């Protein structure tokens, strides 16, 4: 569907009347245009996005303007819908990880974590997950948190015209992606977390790579902080812009850095610990500015706390070897994965066993991979603290090998409700800053 709108005012000779030409097609443009004409002779309706870089893909902002002032802002989340939740009803519980990891594609490991935690709660095996598997999960998620915040910072800087911020942000994010590629074989969409543990243990050299990259990552984050946090131009664009106080956040269900920037230290890693987060030493950073600048400062502070957690994980992984998958062979993924020259696949030893040594192993592998394990009837809502806020997963099981229903609460969807509250009454240029401070990723919003 294509939509085109233009506004034209004409004045006849000796005539004070103005004529309006409003052509609109599809969607809710008819109502919007009619309201605009009725409300003011000076207001126009513009469509910002999805081509605008600040609209992050398919986000569409419908703005009613009086000169440079935004009188009305409406959000259209576009047509990115990929049917992930419905598709998961036709796949096994393990295969569901491959789908949900692709929702918010900048935080794939958090998508997996919320889903896997829910499956494990339905199975009743939360206490049986090996400690090493949980440590690996925490380490990977905190690296992913750093990478997500760096993309938010970099793209936000680019939208304000600071291309160097974008370059620095993506340069530092690359360090986290190197670790992901070594451990999972992929830079994103990993499907690495599995019900019962993780797909495979970290390969040799992972800790050495982290010891090499973390000091460089710290230096890069310091450079970004020095470049922008006290930059008068950036502060002029962000301080007191996109204002939303605690009352507004509570009313709209806003979580993550947007909520922490109002002074409330709400973090699920502290409030409802999972994967052993209660055993780590870290703080929940907050600010009390309620604006875009405060959200930026919170994200920088969270990156430093994530580095602290990663360093603790490295120490534990070096000190405590062990299994990374639950012992119950009726649940544990049978494949013994290894990273070879062609990427990650079954290890040669495992192939040799199931193809030439043990008929029972072959049958077990075939049944568990093709049919999957059964999950007792019930439903659960599991949550994790993603870089954008509370990421929830509601799962319903009827006792079969597939989810009866899978539905996700993506924080970006809820947080985007704030656009009208933050932008109405502000300037057009402030809309760019406000949307960037939300950090929306439409893959999660319209999944």
């Amino acid at each position: 569907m294509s939509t085109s709108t233009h506004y034209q005012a004409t004045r006849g000779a000796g005539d004070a009347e103005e004529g309006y030409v409003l052509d609109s097609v599809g969607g809710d443009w008819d109502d919007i245009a009619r309201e605009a004409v009725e409300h003011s002779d000076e207001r126009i309706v513009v469509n910002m996005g999805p081509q605008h870089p600040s609209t992050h893909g398919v986000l569409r902002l419908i703005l009613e303007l009086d000169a440079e002032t935004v009188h009305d802002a409406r959000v259209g989340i576009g047509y990115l819908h990929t049917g992930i939740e419905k598709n998961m009803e036709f796949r096994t519980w393990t295969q569901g990880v491959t789908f949900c990891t692709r929702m918010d594609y900048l935080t794939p490991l958090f998508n997996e974590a919320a889903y896997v935690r829910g499956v494990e709660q339905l199975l009743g095996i939360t206490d049986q997950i090996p400690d090493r598997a949980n440590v690996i999960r925490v380490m990977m998620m905190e690296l992913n948190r750093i990478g997500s915040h760096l993309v938010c910072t970099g793209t936000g800087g680019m939208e304000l015209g600071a291309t160097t911020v974008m370059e620095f942000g993506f340069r530092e994010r690359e360090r986290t992606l190197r670790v992901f590629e070594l451990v999972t074989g992929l830079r994103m969409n990993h499907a690495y977390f599995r019900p019962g543990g993780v797909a495979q243990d970290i390969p040799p050299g992972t800790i050495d790579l982290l010891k090499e990259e973390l000091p460089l990552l710290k230096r890069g984050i310091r450079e970004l902080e020095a470049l922008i946090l006290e930059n008068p131009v950036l502060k002029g664009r962000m301080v007191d812009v996109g204002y939303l106080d605690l009352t507004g956040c509570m009313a709209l269900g806003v979580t993550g850095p947007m909520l922490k920037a109002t002074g409330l230290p709400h973090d699920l890693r502290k409030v409802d610990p999972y994967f052993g987060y209660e055993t780590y030493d870290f703080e929940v950073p907050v600010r009390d500015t309620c604006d875009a600048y405060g959200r930026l400062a919170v994200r920088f502070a969270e990156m430093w706390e994530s580095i602290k957690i990663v360093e603790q994980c490295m120490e534990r992984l070096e000190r405590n070897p062990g299994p990374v998958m639950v012992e119950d062979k009726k649940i544990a993924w049978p494949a013994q994965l290894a990273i070879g020259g062609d990427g990650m696949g079954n290890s040669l030893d495992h192939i040799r066993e199931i193809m030439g040594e043990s008929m029972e192993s072959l049958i077990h592998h075939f049944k568990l991979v093709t049919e999957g394990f059964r999950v007792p009837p019930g439903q659960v809502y599991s949550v994790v603290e993603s870089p954008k806020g509370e990421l929830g997963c509601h799962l319903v099981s009827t006792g079969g090998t597939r989810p009866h229903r899978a539905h996700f609460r993506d924080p970006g969807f809820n947080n985007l409700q704030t656009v009208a509250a933050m932008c109405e009454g502000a300037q057009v240029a402030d809309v760019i800053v406000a949307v960037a401070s939300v950090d929306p990723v439409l893959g999660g919003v319209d999944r």
Side-chain angles (χ1 to χ4, degrees):
M1 179 185 71
S2 62
T3 304
S4 62
T5 302
H6 69 272
Y7 176 103
Q8 179 180 340
T10 60
R11 188 183 302 274
D15 189 354
E17 294 183 358
E18 292 185 344
Y20 297 91
V21 179
L22 290 162
D23 299 330
S24 52
V25 180
D28 50 3
W29 276 104
D30 292 335
D31 296 334
I32 296 171
R34 190 181 305 112
E35 290 174 10
V37 173
E38 292 172 354
H39 288 166
S40 171
D41 292 340
E42 300 297 330
R43 296 183 188 178
I44 63 172
V45 177
V46 297
N47 185 38
M48 179 184 287
Q51 75 285 350
H52 195 284
S54 77
T55 54
H56 300 263
V58 299
L59 178 64
R60 170 184 174 221
L61 300 174
I62 306 163
L63 306 178
E64 182 181 322
L65 305 179
D66 183 354
E68 287 290 313
T69 302
V70 179
H71 276 270
D72 189 50
R74 309 189 191 190
V75 179
I77 60 173
Y79 301 96
L80 191 65
H81 190 55
T82 48
I84 285 174
E85 295 171 340
K86 193 64 180 177
N87 273 305
M88 291 173 72
E89 299 175 15
F90 299 90
R91 300 294 186 275
T92 67
W93 292 96
T94 300
Q95 289 173 326
V97 181
T98 307
F99 282 83
C100 69
T101 190
R102 288 166 164 78
M103 296 189 307
D104 180 346
Y105 36 80
L106 291 179
T107 62
L109 292 166
F110 291 91
N111 303 331
E112 299 173 22
Y115 173 73
V116 164
R117 186 187 181 199
V119 176
E120 290 169 354
Q121 288 174 330
L122 286 172
L123 289 168
I125 61 171
T126 302
D127 296 334
Q128 302 174 31
I129 308 303
D131 289 340
R132 186 174 179 86
N134 278 332
V135 173
I136 293 173
R137 288 174 174 179
V138 169
M139 182 183 75
M140 297 290 280
M141 283 192 294
E142 294 308 317
L143 288 169
N144 201 177
R145 189 184 310 277
I146 296 170
S148 176
H149 284 341
L150 286 169
V151 171
C152 174
T153 304
T155 55
M158 181 190 67
E159 288 155 11
L160 298 181
T163 54
T164 303
V165 176
M166 177 79 165
E167 293 170 359
F168 280 21
F170 273 70
R171 180 193 68 188
E172 300 310 315
R173 174 178 177 253
E174 188 69 23
R175 304 190 192 282
T176 67
L177 296 183
R178 288 171 191 156
V179 179
F180 295 159
E181 190 170 11
L182 175 62
V183 175
T184 73
L186 296 165
R187 292 164 59 88
M188 57 194 298
N189 302 337
H190 309 281
Y192 179 65
F193 294 179
R194 304 288 175 86
V198 295
Q200 64 170 4
D201 201 349
I202 57 174
T206 302
I207 302 300
D208 292 335
L209 177 62
L210 280 167
K211 289 179 178 179
E212 176 185 335
E213 294 290 353
L214 276 186
L216 299 174
L217 182 60
K218 292 179 183 178
R219 187 181 70 183
I221 295 175
R222 284 194 205 99
E223 287 181 353
L224 266 173
E225 284 183 322
L227 180 65
I228 64 177
L229 272 187
E230 295 303 323
N231 188 306
V233 175
L234 179 132
K235 294 180 75 171
R237 290 295 308 274
M238 301 189 77
V239 172
D240 295 331
V241 173
Y243 186 88
L244 187 71
D245 61 13
L246 178 58
T247 302
C249 288
M250 298 293 285
L252 295 171
V254 174
T255 52
M258 296 188 70
L259 180 61
K260 293 167 188 171
T262 67
L264 182 65
H266 178 77
D267 192 303
L268 292 167
R269 295 173 293 176
K270 294 284 191 181
V271 177
D272 181 20
Y274 50 94
F275 299 165
Y277 265 112
E278 66 275 10
T279 65
Y280 293 88
D281 177 25
F282 69 100
E283 303 296 329
V284 179
V286 296
R287 294 292 186 274
D288 59 0
T289 59
C290 306
D291 60 5
Y293 184 78
R295 294 162 204 148
L296 175 67
V298 165
R299 290 186 174 101
F300 269 114
E302 282 198 346
M303 285 192 275
W304 288 114
E305 295 301 319
S306 292
I307 289 176
K308 283 171 51 179
I309 297 174
V310 170
E311 290 174 337
Q312 295 172 59
C313 291
M314 292 164 58
E315 181 183 350
R316 297 185 187 192
L317 291 173
E318 285 188 304
R319 189 174 65 241
N320 300 318
V324 296
M325 181 57 75
V326 68
E327 291 183 3
D328 189 348
K329 295 301 181 183
K330 293 183 178 180
I331 296 173
W333 190 249
Q336 303 300 311
L337 300 180
I339 297 179
D342 57 348
M344 187 168 66
N346 288 329
S347 70
L348 294 178
D349 291 339
H350 181 68
I351 294 175
R352 187 180 300 111
E353 178 186 5
I354 65 174
M355 297 303 292
E357 299 176 2
S358 173
M359 176 63 72
E360 291 77 12
S361 295
L362 176 61
I363 294 172
H364 175 73
H365 182 110
F366 180 80
K367 289 285 287 182
L368 199 53
V369 170
T370 57
E371 182 179 298
F373 52 78
R374 295 187 177 275
V375 173
Q379 61 179 324
V380 67
Y381 178 71
S382 68
V383 290
V384 299
E385 182 73 20
S386 90
K388 299 168 179 63
E390 178 182 321
L391 173 59
C393 177
H394 178 223
L395 294 173
V396 180
S397 172
T398 56
T401 59
R402 303 172 181 177
H404 176 72
R405 185 73 177 94
H407 178 64
F408 291 85
R409 178 213 187 269
D410 189 271
F413 182 84
N414 291 71
N415 293 354
L416 271 176
Q417 297 179 101
T418 64
V419 171
M422 292 192 297
C423 296
E424 290 178 0
Q427 302 294 294
V428 175
D430 294 338
V431 175
I432 309 301
V433 177
V435 172
S437 73
V438 174
D439 187 22
V441 173
L442 275 294
V445 172
D446 193 27
R447 62 216 166 277

